[in-house]
Amino acid sequence: MRRHHFAALLLLATALVGTAVPASSATTTAPAGTRPYLDQRLPVKQRVADLLARMTLAEKVGQMTQAERGSVDNDQGRITNLALGSLLSGGGSAPSPNTPEAWADMVDGYQSHALATRLRIPILYGVDSVHGHGNLVGATVFPHNIGMGATRDPALVRRAAHITATETRATGPQWVFAPCVCVTRDERWGRSYESFGEDPRLVSRMTTAVEGLQGGNTRDLARNDRVLATVKHFAGDGDTVYGTSTTGDYIIDRGITRTSHKRFAEIDLAPYVTAVQVHDVGSVMPSYSSVQWTDVPGSEPIRMSAHKELLTDVLKQKIGFDGFLISDWDAIGEIPGDFATQVRTSVNAGMDMFMQPYNAPQFIQTLTAEVQAGRVELSRIDDAVSRILKAKFELGLFERPYTDRTNIGTIGSAAHRAVARRAVAESQVLLKNDHKTLPLKPSQRLYVAGVNADDLGNQAGGWTVTWQGQSGNTAFPGTTILQGIRKNARNVTYSSDASAATAGYDVGVVVIGETPYAEGVGDVGVGGHTLNLSAADKANIDRVCSAIRTCVVLDVAGRTQIVTDQLPRTDAFVMSWLPGSEGDGVADVLFGKRPFSGKLPVSWPRGEAQEPINVGDRDYDPLFPYGYGLTTP
Ligand code: GLC
């Protein structure tokens, strides 16, 4: 029996004997004549049933609709008139000024319009807190999931997620579109860094992120330091075939996963089973990508947003998911057919809430017409709305619809940043360390080169203040890797392009890597993206490692880069991934304040043409194997 069923039974049992189980805040007794759905002493199931019975079709369809804040910001009455169930901030969609208080004021402003509806149903506000509350300036920015996978530390992942939930909920959003439990099988994918790794067993272990976000049981969701989690993108988003994307100018993102039912269950589905059955995740986001069965003759690719077999038969019925499905951004627009067909197909496949950033009114009108024409059963609508309302009751939104700002002072706190710093240190993977080059000594004269040594934006990557992220040191507070090095060594020269004289130094430290990107924009082959090193990075390695006796290279990137030719010139090589705001964590292992302990969460290819390459492949011959990582004392 899942924990929350037990809690519900306990609540019912105690309610029957007259002693209500205390909610997360002081227990209040509802005044006489209170409508059952407003009586928090009653089981959630009973409150849902009572509210559903009171709702009109328009109110039900409104609950299934999510709009981007930008589409209602200048006419917030639309929230009331459309009876919207939810709003979101897309990547970078923040209030101005982008401060915790402004966020909370913004969300509460929207909420007041939702509470002006006939039944006063509060909205859910969703945001992509995928490595901390990344849209918020001043938030603690954790390493992206690929680095968290390298830590092999599920408890740390849970702790980081709890901090993320605390900083998010204190600013208003009660729902995050995280964690991505994608299993990245081809690093040419622009979202590879959003994955914990290529091994579904590792990714399943890291679903502790759900518990960190939601808490250990359903009743935690009402707390001011927890949020509703979303595991995404269901499923096979990281297992698509390179070159099969038919959307925009992406090449692998949103492509086709060609697989058998057996392999799909082993690779792509496994993390969702854990997220649902162990952690009771409250929502799931289907992927833009498609699945084409190799064990079904004549099988055609079907978009996940339209995949009834996988959304309803497998996820909801077989695996037992009792939360709600939220579509990805305009994702139903990629289903074949006109808009009415797209809406009908997706809702009948099992989609419950629809992320329709800028066409919410059209969606509402279309779905209403489909129900009235009998092409969508009212029972399907009632199922979807019940799932959505369940989350809202469990989050305590009917009792406390406005932001509880108690924890707003903890945002970006030293305590939170210390946890992120530890995560950075544990995520570093030491791949080469000849002559015990590392750890460095404070007395050594260091020559540091490479833009990524001193660029907060590059070390944080996408989904940081803006959707795509941005280079530079002005967007948000944090410490760069160079700043961390300078705190540990007395004699440090920095020359981003290695143009400064190189004589008289003991160790050269060259930081290579990528600039930020998000989603298919980062696909190899799009916008010049490649796994190969940039000319500037190659030149820096050539110049510094040929001039200075000992040479250390750090790679600040979202994915494995091709370093086969450069590796022999180095004495030590470290994969730093995308560490986020706490560059000090990199210096901690460079100078031995913490040991190197990270392990590769993906296989490291010798060349781009080796992708996809994954542990368990026949003729497996990577530059560094999955799970590889040297340690230091
Ligand atoms: C994006 C992403 C998804 C994100 C959503 C809302 O397109 O695919 O991961 O949660 O839109 O920003």
Side-chain angles (χ1 to χ4, degrees):
M1 175 187 297
R2 287 213 300 279
R3 279 183 283 259
H4 69 282
H5 289 154
F6 178 70
L9 285 176
L10 181 65
L11 195 61
L12 185 61
T14 45
L16 290 177
V17 297
T19 315
V21 171
S24 62
S25 61
T27 306
T28 53
T29 305
T34 300
R35 295 174 174 178
Y37 80 91
L38 292 177
D39 184 346
Q40 63 176 314
R41 300 170 304 167
L42 296 179
V44 164
K45 203 168 183 130
Q46 190 176 338
R47 300 179 73 180
V48 168
D50 176 61
L51 179 50
L52 188 71
R54 299 169 186 272
M55 293 171 75
T56 64
L57 177 60
E59 289 164 333
K60 292 176 180 177
V61 172
Q63 279 302 302
M64 297 170 68
T65 310
Q66 180 186 61
E68 215 287 334
R69 57 170 280 270
S71 70
V72 298
D73 214 23
N74 54 11
D75 176 10
Q76 298 189 17
R78 300 178 79 193
I79 299 167
T80 313
N81 302 335
L82 297 171
L84 289 177
S86 177
L87 292 173
L88 85 143
S89 278
S93 180
S96 178
N98 187 339
T99 63
E101 294 75 12
W103 270 89
D105 292 344
M106 173 184 79
V107 174
D108 288 352
Y110 299 141
Q111 191 67 282
S112 67
H113 291 282
L115 298 179
T117 54
R118 181 177 73 91
L119 293 168
R120 297 175 49 78
I121 303 174
I123 54 162
L124 277 170
Y125 198 94
V127 66
D128 288 283
S129 295
V130 294
H131 65 142
H133 188 0
N135 279 333
L136 168 69
V137 171
T140 305
V141 184
F142 287 91
H144 271 293
N145 284 352
I146 196 70
M148 299 305 277
T151 69
R152 298 300 198 275
D153 189 343
L156 179 60
V157 166
R158 180 191 302 115
R159 180 79 188 94
H162 188 185
I163 290 171
T164 297
T166 303
E167 296 193 2
T168 300
R169 188 92 185 243
T171 62
Q174 325 90 356
W175 178 22
V176 298
F177 308 124
C180 185
V181 293
C182 40
V183 182
T184 179
R185 305 289 288 177
D186 186 328
E187 276 57 66
R188 291 174 294 183
W189 183 38
R191 308 196 73 164
S192 176
Y193 67 78
E194 295 186 62
S195 169
F196 289 109
E198 69 187 30
D199 180 345
R201 290 163 300 180
L202 171 62
V203 177
S204 297
R205 286 179 61 210
M206 297 311 188
T207 54
T208 47
V210 174
E211 187 178 343
L213 291 168
Q214 296 189 161
N217 66 60
T218 310
R219 293 183 65 249
D220 283 347
L221 274 177
R223 294 170 51 93
N224 61 18
D225 59 347
R226 302 292 183 182
V227 291
L228 188 73
T230 308
V231 282
K232 69 184 186 180
H233 309 79
F234 182 83
D237 52 343
D239 192 16
T240 54
V241 176
Y242 189 78
T244 58
S245 178
T246 57
T247 306
D249 58 2
Y250 298 164
I251 294 180
I252 181 171
D253 188 38
R254 310 188 188 187
I256 300 170
T257 305
R258 288 204 182 102
T259 186
S260 67
H261 281 77
K262 180 174 182 295
R263 182 182 170 280
F264 186 78
E266 289 165 357
I267 302 288
D268 306 301
L269 210 49
Y272 291 89
V273 177
T274 309
V276 168
Q277 296 185 349
V278 175
H279 301 298
D280 205 10
V281 68
S283 80
V284 173
M285 184 184 288
S287 176
Y288 286 109
S289 56
S290 306
V291 172
Q292 182 173 20
W293 298 121
T294 56
D295 57 339
V296 176
S299 167
E300 290 299 323
I302 298 176
R303 294 276 180 189
M304 283 309 302
S305 301
H307 212 297
K308 188 173 187 305
E309 176 194 357
L310 290 173
L311 297 184
T312 298
D313 306 345
V314 171
L315 179 62
K316 289 183 175 179
Q317 292 172 359
K318 187 175 174 189
I319 296 174
F321 175 59
D322 65 356
F324 70 91
L325 294 176
I326 172 69
S327 71
D328 204 334
W329 182 286
D330 264 337
I332 67 170
E334 296 176 14
I335 298 170
D338 62 11
F339 189 58
T341 303
Q342 293 166 341
V343 170
R344 176 176 65 249
T345 304
S346 191
V347 72
N348 286 337
M351 196 73 77
D352 300 305
M353 186 184 280
F354 293 77
M355 190 184 293
Q356 303 301 132
Y358 299 106
N359 66 349
Q362 184 195 354
F363 172 79
I364 289 170
Q365 183 185 13
T366 304
L367 179 51
T368 304
E370 289 301 303
V371 176
Q372 289 168 339
R375 292 187 287 266
V376 171
E377 296 292 333
L378 186 57
S379 58
R380 175 72 272 275
I381 299 296
D382 287 350
D383 172 50
V385 176
S386 298
R387 290 168 178 266
I388 293 163
L389 294 178
K390 170 177 175 289
K392 294 186 176 186
F393 283 117
E394 289 174 348
L395 282 162
L397 295 184
F398 284 83
E399 286 71 46
R400 289 171 300 285
Y402 293 111
T403 306
D404 177 339
R405 304 182 190 204
T406 307
N407 297 317
I408 213 163
T410 71
I411 294 170
S413 65
H416 288 182
R417 291 181 187 279
V419 175
R421 177 170 176 170
R422 184 177 133 224
V424 173
E426 289 193 28
S427 69
Q428 302 302 295
V429 183
L430 182 56
L431 295 165
K432 181 180 181 183
N433 194 23
D434 290 356
H435 332 298
K436 292 189 172 27
T437 297
L438 296 177
L440 299 174
K441 301 176 184 64
S443 59
Q444 288 173 308
R445 295 163 297 177
L446 305 181
Y447 183 106
V448 181
V451 167
N452 278 14
D454 194 36
D455 192 309
L456 267 180
N458 289 3
Q459 75 186 46
W463 299 103
T464 315
V465 181
T466 62
W467 175 44
Q468 290 292 313
Q470 64 286 304
S471 298
N473 291 324
T474 57
F476 59 94
T479 54
T480 65
I481 293 167
L482 175 66
Q483 289 168 332
I485 291 173
R486 288 193 192 284
K487 292 175 190 172
N488 285 276
R490 291 190 286 275
N491 184 334
V492 178
T493 293
Y494 175 53
S495 174
S496 65
D497 61 358
S499 56
T502 52
Y505 294 95
D506 303 309
V507 181
V509 179
V510 183
V511 184
I512 63 175
E514 297 182 305
T515 52
Y517 52 79
E519 302 194 40
V521 174
D523 280 359
V524 163
V526 173
H529 287 290
T530 169
L531 296 184
N532 297 314
L533 300 187
S534 67
D537 283 348
K538 287 179 184 173
N540 280 346
I541 291 174
D542 289 348
R543 177 160 164 67
V544 175
C545 296
S546 57
I548 300 175
R549 181 163 43 87
T550 303
C551 191
V552 177
V553 173
L554 307 180
D555 193 355
V556 174
R559 54 195 165 188
T560 54
Q561 293 193 288
I562 306 307
V563 295
T564 311
D565 295 343
Q566 285 71 26
L567 197 60
R569 296 202 192 96
T570 70
D571 298 287
F573 178 54
V574 178
M575 185 53 176
S576 295
W577 312 108
L578 295 172
S581 58
E582 307 311 308
D584 278 329
V586 177
D588 287 342
V589 288
L590 284 181
F591 288 89
K593 287 184 174 175
R594 284 183 180 276
F596 276 98
S597 58
K599 304 295 178 196
L600 284 180
V602 291
S603 306
W604 196 295
R606 295 177 182 278
E608 204 172 89
Q610 264 197 321
E611 289 294 348
I613 179 170
N614 297 287
V615 61
D617 287 353
R618 268 201 305 273
D619 310 325
Y620 182 64
D621 179 33
L623 183 64
F624 298 108
Y626 171 84
Y628 186 78
L630 302 174
T631 57
T632 51

